[in-house]
Amino acid sequence: STADSLEGCLDCLLQALAQNNTETSEKIQKSGILQVFASLLTPQSSCTAKVANIIAEVAKNEFMRNSCVDAGLIPPLVQLLNCKDQEVLLQTGRALGNICYDSHEGRSAVDHAGGAQIVVDHLRSLCSKTDPANEKLLTVFCGMLMNYSNENDTLQSQLINMGVIPTLVKLLGIHCQNAALTEMCLVAFGNLAELESSKEQFAYTNIAEEIVKLFKKQIEHDKKEMIFEVLAPLAENDIIKLQLVEAGLVECLLEIVQKTVDSDKEDDIAELKTASDLMVLLLLGDESMQKLFEGGKGSVFQRVLSWIPSNNHQLQLAGALAIANFARNDGNCIHMVDNGIVQKLMDLLDRHVEDGNVTVQHAALSALRNLAIPVVNKAKMLSAGVAEAVLKFLRSEMPPVQFKLLGTLRMLIDAQAEAAEQLGKNVKLVERLVEWCEAKDHAGVMGESNRLLSALIRHSKSKDVIRTIVQSGGIKHLATMATSEHVIMQNEALVALALIAALELVTAEKDLENAKLVQILHRLLSDERSAPEIKYNSMVLICALMGSEPLHKEVQNLAFLEVVSKLRSHENKTVAQQASLTEQRLAVES
């Protein structure tokens, strides 16, 4: 066709596409003119922009995208990205963006032709121009890169390596008045922020400042939601957490909480949840957490405290999780316990004993467990009645609650003989522990139950506690625990068993025999991989077991002397010394 009649044909096609895109696209596909378009996409032609526009329109249909690739349209389109004409650039960006949308073939072809780099370069050079035509072009180019890399880690990494992140952040700052462009930037951020490598790059930009500034301006729920979707993955990075705190995000979040807490509108409930969850996430960074704690005087810390007695479950949950996060160093824990936080958490637990909210129970127990770590807090928390408050949840059938309950009790009784004795004589507790020691489906609960059983004996050193544990069938679990893959658990089991043998050997004799403890000890001593402290405590235990006739016989039947005499030359002095003592004892008793 001549240029004039060609122009008419193209106008006609655009009109038909405007009226019924799908039907017209099918006809274009069947007619074979897509191949003709490839030859019309030249920088010299006056029709180029219209041809690119037609391609952009037909590529809105999923069934047309592969046809566009097969017709060889990608290389000439990518070539057009080098031209200066703004309308051609706009339509070419649209065409490539639509072809890439959800199309693996489209993306591969653009990648192969080197299209992404040219677009990134354009974004960089056009970034500072704020005229409407340029902003429209920037929006199209951002959208094209979005469609090109969406949910594709390899292509996202490629864009990150091309340095697209600082450019997008700059765009956001300069064009924050342009809704369409800021929205495109946000979607692109959300897309890239999931990748670990992107977070390092984001941390070197002023993204925190820009995004908080943008957030403060938003009134509509959807826009806030969009920014939240970018903030959540970014806030996983500790450097960015601190930047967000310094940029004033926390104040924005607290304001949202205040505005939405009493509302029953769906949007407000969602916003309250997102804001309070994000608040908790910011407290996971050590520096950001300490900055907000401000020695326990911080207004943020005080506000979060006020969430705990609230009637809103989401706020109770976030408040308890926040306290658990503040309770990550001894100084904070001691300050909080001295300032009455324990009572607040116990009151919260009390409200959730009967048919309570499991996530709130779990969070409050997590906070109490962390607060019980410093030595000086243990006695204070015990006298405040924490153990009794926690024991109310013994009936819980929820493994996460069981796990935290066990951890809290174990922290509380560490080196607290009286409390350990009191709990160790509590038959209900011990029976429940023995039951949970068999919770094969929940390794965490099983491990914690074993550790608490052992801790009750180790910290109380009480005959009554040992008798309660023997009567409840706990011995076999301690023997099994001695074979754990974790050295710390093996050790705790061996020390508890040595105390049993020293204080109540007669009571426990039958159970120790049935648990095949002597064979277990033989295996531990023979195994070269056993840690030195395991070898040492196994030998101490062997000596203690010699006081029982049936167990003594078992020791004689297994070649213990042989194994022990080898350990006399062990590189660890303490193990070597204990081997000499044990050898003498075995020799005398044999």
Side-chain angles (χ1 to χ4, degrees), residues 212-220 224 228 247-263 267-269 271-279 282 299-300 303-304 306-307 315:
V212 172
K213 203 160 56 182
L214 187 67
F215 192 72
K216 285 177 179 165
K217 290 184 196 156
Q218 303 311 320
I219 300 150
E220 293 166 47
K224 285 188 205 164
F228 273 141
L249 177 62
V250 173
E251 289 71 15
C252 297
L253 298 176
L254 290 173
E255 200 179 311
I256 288 178
V257 168
Q258 206 172 347
K259 280 183 185 161
T260 55
V261 65
D262 298 318
S263 167
D267 282 358
D268 288 346
I269 293 168
E271 236 169 79
L272 175 78
K273 177 171 168 33
T274 314
S276 51
D277 283 349
L278 190 50
M279 184 77 204
L282 291 175
S299 61
V300 174
R303 285 278 285 282
V304 167
S306 72
W307 293 356
L315 272 197

Side-chain angles (χ1 to χ4, degrees), residues 124-260:
R124 208 171 282 137
S125 62
L126 299 171
C127 185
S128 310
K129 296 182 182 167
T130 53
D131 58 286
N134 189 60
E135 287 195 322
K136 198 172 171 189
L137 183 56
L138 287 169
T139 308
V140 164
F141 279 161
C142 275
M144 184 238 142
L145 290 181
M146 246 288 307
N147 288 353
Y148 172 70
S149 65
N150 190 31
E151 292 183 355
N152 183 314
D153 288 2
T154 314
L155 297 179
Q156 285 171 358
S157 299
Q158 181 195 72
L159 292 181
I160 291 166
N161 293 337
M162 288 174 182
V164 77
I165 286 174
T167 307
L168 288 172
V169 175
K170 201 169 155 194
L171 269 181
L172 188 68
I174 295 170
H175 302 274
C176 56
Q177 302 305 327
N178 185 310
L181 185 48
T182 46
E183 205 163 298
M184 236 358 140
C185 284
L186 286 173
V187 176
F189 289 149
N191 204 349
L192 297 169
E194 298 290 344
L195 280 191
E196 229 15 76
S197 57
S198 79
K199 289 170 195 164
E200 289 153 26
Q201 284 219 9
F202 275 119
Y204 286 110
T205 68
N206 60 338
I207 180 77
E209 200 183 314
E210 293 297 356
I211 217 155
V212 172
K213 203 160 56 182
L214 187 67
F215 192 72
K216 285 177 179 165
K217 290 184 196 156
Q218 303 311 320
I219 300 150
E220 293 166 47
H221 169 74
D222 293 350
K223 290 276 162 58
K224 285 188 205 164
E225 199 66 25
M226 207 167 183
I227 298 176
F228 273 141
E229 279 172 19
V230 179
L231 283 169
L234 284 179
E236 285 169 10
N237 177 287
D238 281 359
I239 299 170
I240 301 177
K241 278 187 184 80
L242 189 59
Q243 292 170 351
L244 289 168
V245 168
E246 286 169 345
L249 177 62
V250 173
E251 289 71 15
C252 297
L253 298 176
L254 290 173
E255 200 179 311
I256 288 178
V257 168
Q258 206 172 347
K259 280 183 185 161
T260 55

Side-chain angles (χ1 to χ4, degrees), residues 522-550:
H522 191 271
R523 276 209 307 279
L524 289 175
L525 288 171
S526 313
D527 189 345
E528 284 172 9
R529 290 165 307 184
S530 293
E533 59 269 40
I534 301 301
K535 293 207 152 92
Y536 173 84
N537 282 322
S538 296
M539 289 187 282
V540 170
L541 184 47
I542 283 293
C543 295
L545 294 176
M546 303 287 276
S548 145
E549 202 179 322

Side-chain angles (χ1 to χ4, degrees), residues 275-544:
S276 51
D277 283 349
L278 190 50
M279 184 77 204
V280 172
L281 180 58
L282 291 175
L283 292 173
L284 275 173
D286 287 338
E287 282 186 74
S288 49
M289 178 271 287
Q290 216 46 47
K291 192 177 175 66
L292 294 170
F293 189 66
E294 289 180 62
K297 307 275 186 294
S299 61
V300 174
F301 171 64
Q302 297 300 332
R303 285 278 285 282
V304 167
L305 274 188
S306 72
W307 293 356
I308 293 174
S310 110
N311 288 320
N312 182 302
H313 280 186
Q314 172 58 33
L315 272 197
Q316 293 171 358
L317 169 66
L321 287 172
I323 297 303
N325 284 345
F326 279 124
R328 286 212 313 279
N329 62 50
D330 283 7
N332 292 6
C333 289
I334 293 165
H335 179 91
M336 287 193 276
V337 168
D338 288 347
N339 284 277
I341 185 69
V342 171
Q343 195 53 52
K344 284 191 171 73
L345 289 166
M346 292 199 320
D347 292 345
L348 176 61
L349 276 175
D350 249 3
R351 295 163 71 180
H352 289 277
V353 175
E354 299 302 327
D355 307 320
N357 180 308
V358 174
T359 50
V360 175
Q361 293 172 357
H362 180 261
L365 289 168
S366 296
L368 287 170
R369 180 196 175 281
N370 288 2
L371 290 166
I373 292 171
V375 178
V376 292
N377 282 357
K378 296 180 196 296
K380 292 175 190 169
M381 290 175 73
L382 285 164
S383 59
V386 172
E388 292 75 13
V390 168
L391 284 172
K392 290 178 186 168
F393 294 91
L394 260 188
R395 295 196 304 273
S396 172
E397 291 303 330
M398 294 309 213
V401 174
Q402 297 167 352
F403 180 71
K404 286 296 174 188
L405 170 153
L406 292 163
T408 308
L409 290 176
R410 189 165 64 79
M411 285 302 158
L412 281 171
I413 63 165
D414 193 2
Q416 307 295 311
E418 200 180 313
E421 177 157 16
Q422 206 181 341
L423 285 172
K425 291 192 294 196
N426 178 332
V427 177
K428 270 197 178 136
L429 169 64
V430 174
E431 284 178 348
R432 195 72 162 131
L433 290 183
V434 170
E435 181 190 328
W436 285 341
C437 281
E438 292 171 6
K440 300 257 187 303
D441 299 343
H442 301 285
V445 172
M446 198 160 97
E448 277 293 344
S449 304
N450 277 304
R451 293 189 75 183
L452 183 53
L453 264 188
S454 151
L456 292 169
I457 295 169
R458 288 182 296 115
H459 299 303
S460 71
K461 301 184 175 56
S462 146
K463 292 185 167 207
D464 289 340
V465 170
I466 293 170
R467 281 198 285 270
T468 308
I469 289 174
V470 172
Q471 279 151 16
S472 304
I475 297 293
K476 62 172 184 282
H477 297 299
L478 290 169
T480 308
M481 184 180 167
T483 63
S484 162
E485 57 199 23
H486 304 290
V487 174
I488 191 162
M489 284 176 69
Q490 282 186 294
N491 226 6
E492 288 170 359
L494 292 169
V495 173
L497 288 163
L499 284 163
I500 293 170
L503 299 169
E504 277 293 328
L505 186 54
V506 179
T507 314
E509 185 178 70
K510 200 85 206 111
D511 286 359
L512 292 169
E513 226 182 313
N514 292 338
K516 304 211 173 354
L517 180 62
V518 174
Q519 287 91 317
I520 289 171
L521 294 172
H522 191 271
R523 276 209 307 279
L524 289 175
L525 288 171
S526 313
D527 189 345
E528 284 172 9
R529 290 165 307 184
S530 293
E533 59 269 40
I534 301 301
K535 293 207 152 92
Y536 173 84
N537 282 322
S538 296
M539 289 187 282
V540 170
L541 184 47
I542 283 293
C543 295

